[in-house]
Amino acid sequence: MIAKLRNAGAYDVVQVGENWKEADTYLQERLLDNDPGGVYVPPFDHPEIWEGHSTLVSEVGRQFADQDENGGPDAMVCSVGGGGLLCGVLLGLERQYYWNKGCKVLALETEGAESLHKSLLQGELVTLHSITTIATSLGATRVAQRAFDLAQEHGIKSAVLSDAEAAMGCWRFADDERIIVEPACGINLA
């Protein structure tokens, strides 16, 4: 990946840490502290990120309306890493009143990155010691507080699948649709 970034024109590529949390800590404590013009853009734990993700639900609603389906979706499946997408989906469902129509949400994580699932089981935020899944883009050692709170509030069902199941989802989608996706997407298709 570093070579691809350099080939795209990046000249100072830095990779630090074994997971996102270690890299994020380095960014905030070492790089941004020394860069007065630096701007921190959180990848999942910010209301503007959630607002952007919430538009997915509006789009789904428009597609249902285009098909003369008034009820909206019965269920939505959502991969969870840090929880930004989940927050957006849940906020979008609230805005579209789909909760009132019985829409269910299934939050999926892979073994080795199941911070939401473990948090829901324990009733408090859990920080994983490491990320051991192939679905590395789901690799947040701790889910966002807002994602945890919304998941508890709405009684979100959480499931954990294996890397093999996520990879099989990728394979099925490639076979069915001729589109290659990463394991973080494949888990939704497993």
Side-chain angles (χ1 to χ4, degrees):
M1 182 55 75
I2 290 174
K4 289 181 180 181
L5 291 170
R6 286 190 177 124
N7 286 339
Y11 59 90
D12 189 14
V13 180
V14 177
Q15 180 179 359
V16 174
E18 293 294 318
N19 56 51
W20 173 84
K21 179 62 178 162
E22 290 177 13
D24 188 64
T25 299
Y26 177 82
L27 169 71
Q28 291 189 56
E29 294 177 0
R30 301 280 305 281
L31 297 181
L32 287 177
D33 283 351
N34 297 317
D35 184 353
V39 175
Y40 180 69
V41 179
F44 56 83
D45 197 5
H46 194 277
E48 290 181 20
I49 301 295
W50 310 330
E51 184 62 34
H53 290 320
S54 76
T55 64
L56 293 168
V57 179
S58 302
E59 184 177 326
V60 168
R62 281 191 299 278
Q63 291 176 10
F64 270 84
D66 289 346
Q67 298 296 316
D68 291 325
E69 297 284 336
N70 295 324
D74 292 327
M76 295 190 81
V77 179
C78 183
S79 300
V80 177
L85 178 59
L86 179 64
C87 283
V89 166
L90 297 177
L91 294 171
L93 288 171
E94 286 176 355
R95 191 173 296 125
Q96 297 293 322
Y97 304 107
Y98 289 141
W99 286 121
N100 299 341
K101 298 176 183 177
C103 182
K104 305 289 185 212
V105 175
L106 176 60
L108 293 176
E109 296 169 288
T110 51
E111 293 171 359
E114 67 267 44
S115 61
L116 175 65
H117 186 76
K118 287 185 175 184
S119 296
L120 290 172
L121 288 176
Q122 293 192 19
E124 63 184 10
L125 281 175
V126 171
T127 301
L128 303 176
H129 297 291
S130 63
I131 300 299
T132 59
T133 179
I134 62 169
T136 55
S137 62
L138 297 179
T141 56
R142 184 175 174 138
V143 72
Q145 178 73 51
R146 184 71 174 138
F148 174 68
D149 292 343
L150 285 170
Q152 282 192 309
E153 177 184 331
H154 292 291
I156 299 304
K157 300 290 184 202
S158 171
V160 179
L161 301 180
S162 69
D163 282 345
E165 289 170 307
M168 194 55 145
C170 296
W171 180 83
R172 280 192 201 109
F173 200 59
D175 190 51
D176 292 347
E177 301 297 330
R178 301 294 187 242
I179 299 173
I180 297 173
V181 296
E182 65 170 329
C185 178
I187 192 171
N188 292 311
L189 307 167

